[in-house]
Amino acid sequence: MNGWEMVVGLEVHCQLKTQGKAFCGCSTAYGAPPNTNVCPVCLALPGALPVLNGHAVELATTAALALNCTVHPVSVFARKNYFYPDLPKGYQISQFDQPLATDGYVDIGHRADQSPIRVGVTRVHMEEDAGKSVHDRYPAATAIDLNRAGVPLIEIVSEPDMRSAEEAGAYLRVLKQVLEYMGVSDVGMEEGSLRVDANVSARRQGETTLGTKTEVKNMNSFSGVERALEVEFARQVALLEAGGTVQQQTMLWDGSTGQVRPSRTKEGSHDYRYFPEPDLPPLVLASDWIAKMRHDLPELPADRRTRFAKDYQLGEYDVELLTASPRLADYYEAVARAHGDAKASANWVMGEVLAQLKGTGEDIAQFRVRPQDLASLLGMVRDGVVTHTAAKQVFARMVTTGDPPAQVAEREGLVKVDDDAQLAGWLDEVIAEHPAEAERYRSGEKKLQGVLIGAVMKKSKGRADPKKLNAMISERLKG
Ligand SMILES: [Zn+2]
């Protein structure tokens, strides 16, 4: 795509982590049987009236403040009218010309020339989700599930400040992390808590006016967004280079074929006949309440990284890894505080703990080894109660049983053996079993010490005190 520049803006819908829906008390729990989390309000039965969920307002405000937005003291709910079978009211309650918050930004890193990339956040507004149409092929039928109807969302609209698919991906990852750290959403794309639409256009390098954009929908992963952007950008550039023009339209991404195709719907905001929702008063937020929300914001990911680097003296790579999710960061911090050695704690969490979680696909929140118990195990290694090798075996048993390390080490016979007679016994057996190696060691091949020590460790199931053993072997096999 030489000579062409991609221009991207993103619209992200994020489900707020509330117990109840935006305008009624129905549960938002994922995975309930179809049409069980419904009531007259979200079914749009005649005469039912919406009541705004205060917790949804708190979470939306927290998100907006974390994205550096100005939260407005007055915002207005509006009806966005359209017909769709999964929208029983015939309109969606959203916000239009007076949204909750505007004018924020997200910093997402640096370009190749080291200039910082700051993506503007145009607006954050509150709205409700629609239901879901379920299309069955055999027998051919469409069913409607209204469990999601009325689930509270925020829509986060960015400025067209991204210049590549990678920048769009970076923005989404930073945004997701911020929302997760703020505790406002589960941010799972699989469960539909996070949905992304992309506006993309192409222009010649050096141009400052924007080209005609298309909206790309239907991506269900961040990498899907990146691939869809590349494909749509290439399509636009080919069109423009051939002397054609780009039509402003909605394109649907098909992840299985890696293609985009035009959607049949074409609508502008005028088609929705927005008007203020007569059933809800304007949302009025006191300025001291907004100030308190700002004051009470949880620690942002960037602040946590800075603090980890300073308080625990960790390198950039370690900090990135350990702060990937707030739950992992909490876990690490609990281990480090209880154990006292930040670096050793980091090595264990990044090594054994992450390897374990990766193997099972588990989240750290479900991990059976409590931070306090991992800290005790690291204390046992430091105090010489177990060897490093045995500690790994103790850890493996802790993962499956959830038992504390002292109990595991005792029960499994993994406590370190530094009894001279026992060590000498194992060593003599190993020398007898490896006469050639012992002889070569005796005549000066010191590198064979590793082989012999390894054999003793194996025989002792990792319990032999390696320090004592090293001293003992050079004593026993003097040349
Ligand atoms: Zn309801």
Side-chain angles (χ1 to χ4, degrees), residues 21 24 26 38-39 42:
K21 293 187 181 180
C24 61
C26 290
V38 290
C39 74
C42 50

Side-chain angles (χ1 to χ4, degrees), residues 91 179 229 280 297-298 369 447:
Y91 58 85
L179 296 171
L229 284 172
L280 287 166
L297 272 190
V369 179
K447 66 169 195 260

